[in-house]
Amino acid sequence: MKCRKCGGRAVLELRRHNTAFCGPDFVDFFRHHVLETVRRWRMFTRDEAILVAVSGGKDSLALWDVLHEAGYATTGLYIDLGIFEYSHASKARCEAFAGERGLPLRVVSVSDEVGAPIPAVRDATRRPTCSACGLSKRYIMNRAALEGGFSVVATGHNLDDEAATLFGSTLRWDESALARQTPVLAATHAKLARRVKPLFRMSERETAAYAFIRGIDYIVEECPFARGATSITHKEVLNRLEDVSPGSKAMFLQGFLDKARGLFQEREAVRLLECVRCGQTTTGEVCAFCKLRDQVKRAVRPGAGAAATELPDAPDPAAARGLISDLFAASEIHAP
Ligand code: AMP
Ligand code: FES
Ligand code: ZN
């Protein structure tokens, strides 16, 4: 197989684009698409300081790399969830990435903000782990942006994430989730930062390939609490569709954004108030984050912490490394 651009040996075939690239030309292709997405969706300008939320995974570090290489003023934000070894390892990846490039990285700990690490939050509330975690992450991202003077937060959500979320919301016909599904969530209140997803058109496989070719050291393991999550099943279903019909995921998501989202958005205009406790936005009197913090405070005894809590299952390194080994097995990617 030959690279579409230079005619040299291709290392990656992109079936949905009916093309193939060598390493350097794929890097150019990837960057071009991401920056074009930023421009077309008016995500941010060159004058804005961007807070990039980094988890230590391939997507958010690939995003930070693209934006930094393109000359944007970026600062990283790592939220330490306190999930045992997973959090230690992911924080180390973010610190190494920032350190090697001389980039600023802010670290905020969920333990400090909520009163306990995520495993203890899970035990203290009846909420599904990912829901308490997602709520905490969104709140912390927004507050860190406001306090740090950033008008925009960029996350590494990719095409697979977005298509799977859309699929789940559609199965439930969750109208408010459908109204919020967008690569650019505008700041509709003075206390909200804009939230953008510049990788929403890039597949998980493409971001993995970019991170690999660029030699980015990222954490391959998924969060241990994500195992068995419905979103993973939705991703598998969409992967099967993509296999038989390349381009399905992009068509599903883009079609929704072009043709359907506006209909849901019109009906979802909510009036935002300021939380009487913390001042962040809410639709009621006290925001969901303050309620979560109260619940945790009531349940967690002083001194009790993550040590008392157990991991769901031992991580399965073979499955976790699946994506990269698949890429190797298919001989699609060779050493950088
Ligand atoms: P996830 O919710 O794990 O699928 O992650 C989606 C995006 O949220 C990532 O690409 C990051 O941009 C951001 N994110 C997830 N976890 C963290 C974290 N611990 N700290 C900062 N940002 C995060
Ligand atoms: Fe939040 Fe796993 S990353 S529960
Ligand atoms: Zn609050």
Side-chain angles (χ1 to χ4, degrees):
M1 213 185 336
K2 287 190 173 162
C3 170
R4 179 179 85 183
K5 227 164 143 196
C6 70
R9 194 162 71 94
V11 295
L12 190 76
E13 184 188 8
L14 303 179
R15 283 175 63 213
R16 74 185 170 112
H17 295 292
N18 197 17
T19 191
F21 288 111
C22 68
D25 285 328
F26 172 70
V27 166
D28 280 353
F29 165 89
F30 187 92
R31 287 178 175 166
H32 173 80
H33 265 252
V34 176
L35 298 175
E36 182 61 20
T37 303
V38 168
R39 196 187 60 77
R40 206 184 293 166
W41 284 81
R42 298 175 188 204
M43 292 185 168
F44 39 76
T45 65
R46 297 224 165 247
D47 303 328
E48 285 180 285
I50 304 152
L51 189 63
V52 187
V54 283
S55 63
K58 62 186 182 320
D59 304 302
S60 46
L61 290 181
L63 171 62
W64 200 3
D65 185 75
V66 171
L67 297 182
H68 168 61
E69 291 291 325
Y72 283 98
T74 54
T75 295
L77 169 69
Y78 175 74
I79 301 167
D80 188 344
L81 305 166
I83 306 180
F84 314 108
E85 183 47 34
Y86 168 73
S87 288
H88 290 141
S90 50
K91 183 177 169 196
R93 300 304 198 286
C94 295
E95 286 173 340
F97 182 97
E100 282 159 18
R101 291 159 182 80
L103 287 168
L105 175 71
R106 299 182 178 202
V107 177
V108 179
S109 143
V110 163
S111 258
D112 295 343
E113 301 299 318
V114 187
I118 289 296
V121 172
R122 178 189 67 151
D123 294 348
T125 69
R126 294 229 177 85
R127 288 180 89 108
T129 319
C130 290
S131 128
C133 174
L135 165 69
S136 308
K137 284 194 283 202
R138 285 190 301 275
Y139 181 95
I140 291 171
M141 278 177 203
N142 190 64
R143 223 192 44 204
L146 292 183
E147 288 175 359
F150 299 90
S151 51
V152 57
V153 180
T155 57
H157 293 91
N158 60 37
L159 173 62
D160 295 54
D161 297 328
E162 294 299 285
T165 302
L166 175 61
F167 189 55
S169 306
T170 309
L171 284 178
R172 297 190 309 278
W173 289 113
D174 181 340
E175 294 173 68
S176 46
L178 290 166
R180 273 181 277 116
Q181 171 118 26
T182 167
V184 183
L185 260 180
T188 51
H189 187 280
K191 291 261 176 90
L192 283 180
R194 196 179 332 129
R195 280 219 317 269
V196 300
K197 302 168 183 171
L199 298 188
F200 86 96
R201 289 166 67 218
M202 313 313 289
S203 73
E204 186 164 326
R205 182 169 161 274
E206 288 158 7
T207 54
Y210 179 85
F212 181 78
I213 294 170
R214 289 283 297 150
I216 296 171
D217 182 19
Y218 62 86
I219 180 154
V220 176
E221 281 76 15
E222 291 275 350
C223 160
F225 293 114
R227 310 181 86 231
T230 335
S231 58
I232 295 183
T233 311
H234 293 160
K235 281 190 178 175
E236 285 166 3
V237 170
L238 291 171
N239 280 339
R240 287 192 58 193
L241 268 176
E242 186 76 21
D243 257 359
V244 286
S245 179
S248 297
K249 286 178 208 169
M251 199 168 58
F252 178 49
L253 180 64
Q254 198 59 52
F256 167 78
L257 294 174
D258 291 345
K259 297 176 188 167
R261 185 181 167 259
L263 304 173
F264 293 98
Q265 197 185 10
E266 278 166 21
R267 285 193 272 162
E268 264 297 304
V270 287
R271 205 163 76 88
L272 286 177
L273 306 166
E274 289 183 20
C275 169
V276 294
R277 303 269 291 282
C278 71
Q280 295 277 312
T281 55
T282 174
T283 49
E285 198 175 321
V286 176
C287 77
F289 183 80
C290 283
K291 286 183 189 157
L292 175 72
R293 194 161 40 191
D294 284 349
Q295 221 178 341
V296 171
K297 203 187 285 174
R298 281 196 300 272
V300 177
R301 285 168 291 113
T309 352
E310 280 178 18
L311 273 177
D313 278 321
D316 172 358
R321 293 205 166 77
L323 183 62
I324 281 297
S325 58
D326 283 356
L327 287 169
F328 274 120
S331 305
E332 290 177 321
I333 290 225
H334 307 279

